[in-house]
Amino acid sequence: MNRNNINYNLERKLRRFAISDLMKYIVFGQAAVYLLMLIWPTVGYQLYSAITLSRSALLRGQIWRIVTFVFAPPNSSPLFIIFALYFYYMIGTGLEARWGKVKFNLYYLIGMVAAVIACLITGYASNTYLNLSLFFAYAAMYPDVEVLLFMILPVKMKVLALIDAALYTWQFIVGGASTRVTILLCLANVFLFLGGDIIGTIRRESHYWKTRYNFRKTMRK
């Protein structure tokens, strides 16, 4: 049985369990928690504390956290939250449109499992690297899509991905063991699902810049 048949059979079996528009529910959940934190801080922050990942809490039997941590919003200003949640929704729906709901659900689920394992090893984990894995996947699928950085500067997704990759590589180098474990585990699904695509993109970009360099070198002669 070839790979295409395996993928088709797997998707056919899992289709009824997959959630359509998964990112919509995650973004709405994060928005609801953030609004509660903003409008009713006492209750909102108690809720935030009750849904995030914590090894000690998991070992006390609070197993709902292995799911609810995905609804924890970024801790930032309201303006940033609006753009962050819109960005998450854009990349999530873009990946689901490209892959289909089954593959996207599997990608997200593996990222969740990795985050929980990282939490059990290090003591704490968040959805930060899970969201980053979505961004890297989207950049690999749609490298030339442009977004407005700071609402002014148009930047291609592949450029943002390279910048983020450099930053997180630096964090991996200078960070402690817990940071390295978390990064490796939470970004594992990127390489599992997109290793070949990423290598292909790097090769295409290298060939493009090499051709451009050779052209300019010829024109100077």
Side-chain angles (χ1 to χ4, degrees):
M1 185 178 293
N2 61 39
R3 184 176 179 180
N4 289 334
N5 287 336
I6 293 174
N7 290 338
Y8 173 77
N9 289 332
L10 182 64
E11 181 160 345
R12 183 172 55 83
K13 290 177 180 179
L14 297 179
R15 189 178 296 128
R16 59 178 175 170
F17 302 109
I19 301 172
S20 299
D21 298 320
L22 174 63
M23 208 62 201
K24 177 178 70 176
Y25 300 110
I26 293 170
V27 166
F28 282 173
Q30 290 189 12
V33 174
Y34 187 82
L35 285 174
L36 191 59
M37 292 167 63
L38 199 64
I39 298 169
W40 197 357
T42 303
V43 175
Y45 280 96
Q46 286 179 349
L47 175 63
Y48 182 88
S49 178
I51 65 174
T52 50
L53 277 178
S54 165
R55 180 174 60 194
S56 60
L58 289 175
L59 294 178
R60 290 198 302 269
Q62 298 178 11
I63 59 173
W64 63 81
R65 294 173 183 264
I66 65 176
V67 174
T68 58
F69 81 96
V70 302
F71 299 112
N75 187 14
S76 189
S77 67
L79 183 61
F80 176 81
I81 286 294
I82 292 172
F83 290 105
L85 295 185
Y86 170 75
F87 188 69
Y88 294 160
Y89 179 76
M90 181 189 76
I91 60 180
T93 53
L95 288 173
E96 184 173 332
R98 184 70 172 266
W99 282 342
K101 66 177 182 178
V102 172
K103 187 172 181 179
F104 179 67
N105 276 223
L106 283 174
Y107 184 86
Y108 202 88
L109 178 61
I110 290 173
M112 289 175 63
V113 171
V116 172
I117 294 173
C119 172
L120 293 174
I121 295 174
T122 66
Y124 177 80
S126 69
N127 58 23
T128 300
Y129 292 113
L130 174 55
N131 293 330
L132 182 65
S133 74
L134 295 179
F135 166 65
F136 282 142
Y138 187 88
M141 296 289 99
Y142 305 96
D144 294 315
V145 169
E146 289 188 344
V147 293
L148 291 178
L149 190 63
F150 306 118
M151 298 182 64
I152 301 173
L153 183 63
V155 182
K156 289 186 176 182
M157 294 296 294
K158 61 187 177 184
V159 175
L160 290 178
L162 288 173
I163 294 172
D164 272 353
L167 290 174
Y168 284 101
T169 299
W170 175 249
Q171 284 189 14
F172 182 84
I173 294 171
V174 302
S178 61
T179 300
R180 293 172 182 170
V181 168
T182 302
I183 290 175
L184 283 176
L185 284 172
C186 293
L187 296 183
N189 56 349
V190 177
F191 299 102
L192 179 64
F193 280 74
L194 296 158
D197 293 310
I198 292 172
I199 293 172
T201 299
I202 292 173
R203 286 176 176 172
R204 287 194 301 272
E205 291 300 315
S206 299
H207 178 73
Y208 168 77
W209 287 107
K210 185 177 180 180
T211 303
R212 187 172 180 178
Y213 171 77
N214 290 335
F215 175 77
R216 289 182 174 180
K217 187 176 180 181
T218 302
M219 292 298 293
R220 292 193 190 104
K221 293 181 180 180

